[in-house]
Amino acid sequence: MFCVIPADTEAKTTALICAAFFTGAAAYISLVEHPARLRLEDGPLLAQWQPSYGRALPIQSGLAIAGGVCGLAAWYLSRDWRWIAGSVALLGNWPFTLLAIMPTNKRLKAIRPDPAGPESRTLLIAWGKLHHVRSVLGLISTLLFAWCLAVAT
């Protein structure tokens, strides 16, 4: 059996999938990985965060862009405000990261793990709180996109 999926359905489905993957990754970091990491001593804590951040960056940034762009395409095709609102929430991770989290990231990446101490721990605690915002933005986007698809069916 052959089935043709309209382009708008592809954009909508891709937007939801990317937003859900982004949210899952962000929530895992916020709820599981970072709290576990904070149980480590200062040096190992920083030593674990630095490569973890480097691995997560391309995955989460790519999902935010792909989901946000597909959400904008879905909005353009449907004119449903929820698509653009979800896209703004998902793409909002970029300016939030650049303006609010990046200064902390740069400071943390500049510290070597062997002299890490209370300063790096304080920065990592602050980083975790900032990262919660990314998780919430992803969740808002996922819920809006899912709502759109649920109402459309």
Side-chain angles (χ1 to χ4, degrees):
M1 178 179 205
F2 181 77
C3 179
V4 177
I5 301 173
D8 66 327
T9 302
E10 291 171 357
K12 292 172 181 178
T13 303
T14 303
L16 175 59
I17 290 169
C18 289
F21 281 164
F22 176 92
T23 303
Y28 171 79
I29 291 166
S30 290
L31 300 173
V32 179
E33 182 178 300
H34 198 62
R37 177 172 37 226
L38 288 172
R39 296 177 138 192
L40 299 171
E41 295 295 323
D42 295 338
L45 165 62
L46 183 61
Q48 198 284 330
W49 178 85
Q50 288 174 333
S52 175
Y53 169 77
R55 288 187 301 269
L57 176 66
I59 296 166
Q60 288 192 290
S61 60
L63 288 168
I65 290 171
V69 168
C70 286
L72 291 174
W75 167 77
Y76 179 77
L77 295 167
S78 70
R79 297 297 192 223
D80 185 331
W81 67 270
R82 294 169 295 189
W83 288 110
I84 199 162
S87 294
V88 167
L90 194 55
L91 292 170
N93 278 286
W94 273 85
F96 178 77
T97 299
L98 293 173
L99 298 173
I101 300 178
M102 194 56 70
T104 303
N105 288 351
K106 287 181 180 180
R107 288 177 63 192
L108 286 166
K109 289 191 310 186
I111 301 171
R112 290 184 341 177
D114 53 335
E119 178 192 6
S120 62
R121 179 170 294 277
T122 299
L123 286 170
L124 281 162
I125 290 169
W127 180 90
K129 292 175 184 175
L130 291 168
H131 195 272
H132 289 317
V133 174
R134 292 173 48 83
S135 299
V136 170
L137 288 171
L139 180 60
I140 290 168
S141 177
T142 300
L143 292 173
L144 285 167
F145 291 168
W147 181 19
C148 288
L149 284 173
V151 170
T153 57

